[in-house]
Amino acid sequence: MSQSSGYSTLNLEEVDTISDAEAYKASALLRAALLSRDKYQAASQFLSPEWDWDSQQPWSAPVTATLAHHELRIVDGVFKVLNEDGKEISKLPTLSEYVKDYCDILAVASNGAVKTMTYKRLKLLSYKFDVHRCLNDPAEIEGTQDDPRDFSTVMKVDTHIHLSAAMTSKHLLEFIKDKAENHGEDVVALSKDGQPETLTKVFSKLGIDLVRFNLNVLDTRADNTFERFDNFNAKYSPMGMSQLRDVFLKSENGVLGGRYYAELTNQLLEKMERSQFTAAEYRISIYGLKAGEWDSLACWAKKFNVYSKHLRWLVQIPRIFFIFRTHGTLQNFEQMLDNIFRPLFEVSLNPESHPDLHVFLQHVSGFDSVDDESRSERQFDVECSKILPGAWSSTENPPYAYYSWYFWANIASLNQLRQQRGLKTFDFRPHCGESGSVDHLASAFLLARHINHGINLAKTTPLQYLYYLAQIGLAVSPLSNNSLFLDYNNNPFKKFFCRGLNVSLSTDDPLQFHYTEEPLLEEYSVCGQRWKMSDIDLSEIARMSVLQSGFEHRIKTEWLGPRYLLAGPSGNEVSFSNVPNLRLQFRSDTLNQEVSLINKLASSTPLPKANSSLFTRISINEPHSASEKIMQDQLKACLNLSGALALIRSYHPTREHNVSPRDTSCIIRLENGVHSVYETQSVASKLFAAVDPMEPNADYAVFCRDVARMVDVLSDGATASFSFTRLTLLECIFGMHTLMNSDIEKQAMKHVPKDFSHLSKVDGYIRASTGMLAKHLLRFIRAKLDENPPIPLKEGQNIPLRDLFDQLGLPLSNLTLDNLNVKAENTFMRLDAFQSKNNPFGNSVLRSLFLDVFNVIDGSFFGEITKQLIDSRTKADPHVLHEFRIALPGRTPSDWNTLARWLIKHELLVDNVRWVIELPLPYESFVAEGSVSSFSDVLASIFGPLFLATKDPASSPDLTRVLDYISGFDVPYSKSDYLSNLTNLPMPRLWIKESRPPFAYLIFFIQANLKSLNTFRASKCMSTFQLSSAIDIDAPYYDRAALLLLTDLVHHADIVTRGRPTTSYLMYLARIGAVMSPLSSNALALNYQESPFSKSFQRGLLVSLGTDSPLQLHSMDDPLLEEFAIASQIFRLSACDLSEICMNSVLSSGFPHQVKQRILGDAYLSAQDPLLCSVPSVRTTFRQAAWHAEIDRLGRICAAKPL
């Protein structure tokens, strides 16, 4: 897209990068299809002459001379008019041409190259609209602020509504009851012996009790109609009684002459005129059963003055020849055609031959073809076409395409005659694509001006794209579809609209589907609410309804303005349509680009095969032409985000690698909860943390201030709105990138030595205590029971393991996976139930015995099973690396020695495993048992040994060795009562309360100590550590702010980021790692399909997958591969996507710098090596460009002017 004046646009330099020869072939086929349609439209579509009748005299018509010397013939089912010289006055394509063109369209629709190309183009159209909305939504809203209209006051035409069901059930009920109560003596029918029957008598014979006559008894609502067109048709008869339909809903009904039907219709028209801003094209039937139907219909309309400026008629012809033939009322199909079209040709040649019909036709806008499309039918082909209408005498119904040809050919011939006579011409707008074969849509593509329904276009991208290019109108009725063929949630209307198809909303049959007395507005309301469509969207749909309709040019100028025929904003009057020029400029530009692309490719030679250096680059033009208010909102949001990003970066200094070790003597002190390192030469000269022990901890005061600032950002509506828009934009741009460059990425991946199965990938969040599978744990327990080792008890006695099971009431003969009871079932929204699944056989004693380090057997069982786990996983897939969470109580400093001995004893320090120390910190328990006197004691127990081991490795050789295999620390989330006023909380040495410190307070002191420790260890060229955590979805802003400020990695990020656009956008900008465990969330709080994993990945967050608790969640021997497999299938991830997620898992992990270099390349921090990580440079270049564009944009807006 190129830069257009006044709005932000997308740049796609795509034509010069399209090297797929199939795209050129597909474009040629698409262009040929469009040219075929043009041939038929040129033969049938003419601008009707203007007839400015007086609304007080609607049943007058211009006098037109009779063509006495012209001859009318029906030749092979098509009427032809011959002039005085015996020559046909009309020229139409032939039936053989139609059959060939129809088959060609079907071939285009089934062509693989066309399917691929049109799928991509339609997806691209969706993305373009989403991008347009992201960039221009505020400007569009402002573009309608000064016009006098809003959605409620723009004209809306119900372009598809059947008169016999145009009223609501309530309206019909009230009408029937009024007639029964006040006009019961009206003669409405004749008995079998010809005697007149009053309405009261008819009701009595039918057993209708007016006292109990309600909507339930009327029974016209659509229920039990899904996939049951027969049941649906029965709903046209009140109470299922055809006699009531004849009395109230027929224009031909003997005694009454359709009077009730006319009165009911005029009531509808009065409502419509009172509303001022709705109009309709009522469908009324001509069956072709007899020649006099047209005169009868015209006489009815004129006699009862069924007229409104807001009404045009659209004559529907039911495709039910087979019923008439079965009953013997018609002998062949040509008779039906003759009955339908002969009166129309006669009145066009000689208006005096059918004077009422001549006038009535001035109110008719077109023809419709209706019936159940889902009914099976014969294939229309060359052989079928050879059966001419005069010879079609079987009871088999002609196929849809056969009907369509003969209807269209006669309408086109009629239009050419009437156009030459200066008379009104007609559209052909059939029902099509509601159900049944998509082949119907091929016929309508050639012949129809517009169609009704069209939802089956969702099943065929080639035809959907052709309908878009040709801008064929679709009058869609989602509420009707919902009751008949397609659930509302699955209706493609919103998708069609976004892509730019010419769609309008219509009611179809309010009698069956609608509840309110304004059915069309009800249709718009449901659509707007369900699909979150704005008033501008709805106004655009309303505008398209006027354009699709058959109302005269003069009327349309009153509704849309005098220039409505011009394309794009040139034809738009905002004061009439309430549609901003920006929207129509976008629609026009996009359509022109698609047409230009097809034409260019269709007439060009394919480029050489693409390479990774030639790919579609996507950029955005965002001119600073927005209004002051929009700029102020953007500026506020950008200042907030820039400030928040700066704060986050201030807590995460860049770590230097390959520095020379600094060897100085030092002392370590714990001051106000933070360990500080001093050079021994001078206590006043601090080596690292500059904290005066005699003053309050200044860093914590700064942190509290920063949290308050972050809370302001996270809770700001303008910032959330801006963040959501930018994230949506990133998602759309990624979608476009993959559409345009997936083939190039795929080709590039063929030249890398590693596939997904050989790529290094890190399980970034897995609990060691639940890291094994249930079957593995059960097998291990059974083996231990066979060994029957003694288990020490608290009293100093030992008990055999089998006896312990007996004491616990666990019979050894019934040890099954079902009884193990560790699978996550019935745990949704029940964290307590999920955590209880950590207990084998539902017993916490066994959990402590088998799945804990700190127990009476020094974690022996846990060490053995963990060793088995690591060995089996390494053997099965050496490319999977793990970061196991292992809990450290933090009760005393000796906990470190216990853990270190356990890791070493069981040989758990291996290259492809790193350990993350989980700090559950049960502070309340520590205080209760007297282990600690203040929170400072806990911090000393956790970090004191680490500083000492760093200072003097020889003093703690086991711990020193273990620290090289520890990659980070994790702080589990726990809600607290201290939700505000963090600044007034006491320092750790004064925290002598029994309650656990609040999360924000606690994680600050963990991070402050970790930061000091990392600086100390980095000075000695020792390994450093990450900090990770997570919070609940409803955690307060204080905790969310602390999480963003302090952590390097967020696990369960699908929960943390859901519905929090500012959090997500800041994590994207700050490149905070995000480990998601969709299976875990699916068991706890978030259905898998609702997981934000896919969106987060598309938007460019540093997302990876973690297994969390395989014991409860997984079945495969490789749980991480199971996570990948499920995500790949549900989210349709490509091989390139999987490689990128693997790369992300390494980047966000705590594995050492050297390991990351080996896996991703020496320069992995700035550019990953595609030969090592298997992520093509096309993808990484795109990601880097998108991120830099966001950062640059923040900077530009912030630098534009002060707030």
Side-chain angles (χ1 to χ4, degrees), residues 872-1020:
S872 62
R873 298 263 173 91
T874 303
K875 182 178 179 180
D877 190 347
H879 304 289
V880 175
L881 289 69
H882 297 85
E883 286 192 297
F884 283 111
R885 261 66 179 172
I886 188 77
L888 181 82
R891 179 182 287 103
T892 66
S894 64
D895 287 349
W896 275 111
N897 292 328
T898 301
L899 180 60
R901 287 195 301 269
W902 180 80
L903 289 166
I904 293 171
K905 176 183 177 181
H906 296 286
E907 301 177 357
L908 302 178
L909 304 180
V910 294
D911 290 341
N912 63 346
V913 170
R914 288 297 181 271
W915 298 89
V916 177
I917 305 303
E918 194 173 61
L919 301 173
L921 301 184
Y923 181 75
E924 299 92 333
S925 299
F926 296 167
V927 174
E929 66 190 26
S931 301
V932 299
S933 58
S934 71
F935 182 57
S936 182
D937 294 344
V938 177
L939 294 172
S941 296
I942 295 172
F943 290 103
L946 305 185
F947 277 91
L948 292 176
T950 302
K951 176 184 176 183
D952 183 10
S955 65
S956 306
D958 287 349
L959 182 55
T960 299
R961 179 184 172 189
V962 164
L963 288 179
D964 285 337
Y965 290 86
I966 291 176
S967 61
F969 289 77
D970 189 277
V971 181
Y973 182 67
S974 177
K975 284 187 178 180
S976 170
D977 296 333
Y978 301 91
L979 299 183
S980 61
N981 204 16
L982 292 173
T983 55
N984 293 335
L985 297 179
M987 288 296 98
R989 60 188 172 82
L990 299 177
W991 190 285
I992 56 176
K993 306 175 183 181
E994 296 180 355
S995 57
R996 173 187 169 108
F999 173 79
Y1001 177 99
L1002 186 150
I1003 197 172
F1004 166 76
F1005 284 102
I1006 298 294
Q1007 194 267 356
N1009 280 281
L1010 206 54
K1011 181 178 178 182
S1012 179
L1013 178 63
N1014 281 339
T1015 306
F1016 188 27
R1017 290 179 64 81
S1019 73
K1020 293 178 171 290

Side-chain angles (χ1 to χ4, degrees), residues 749 752-756 758-760 1158-1159 1171-1174:
M749 293 193 70
V752 298
K754 296 182 180 180
D755 56 25
F756 169 73
H758 293 87
L759 288 176
S760 294
R1158 173 175 56 81
I1159 295 174
L1171 294 178
L1172 293 175
C1173 66
S1174 293

Side-chain angles (χ1 to χ4, degrees), residues 531-562:
W531 290 315
K532 297 183 179 180
M533 302 183 85
S534 68
D535 278 3
I536 291 173
D537 297 336
L538 298 178
S539 296
E540 184 184 5
I541 295 167
R543 182 178 185 272
M544 286 189 282
S545 76
V546 176
L547 293 173
Q548 285 180 20
S549 75
F551 282 87
E552 295 77 16
H553 172 71
R554 176 179 58 84
I555 302 297
K556 289 184 179 180
T557 59
E558 293 180 14
W559 292 345
L560 296 181

Side-chain angles (χ1 to χ4, degrees), residues 498-515:
C498 293
R499 290 173 174 177
L501 275 74
N502 181 2
V503 291
S504 65
L505 284 168
S506 57
T507 58
D508 195 351
D509 296 290
L511 179 67
Q512 281 93 344
F513 306 127
H514 296 77
Y515 290 92

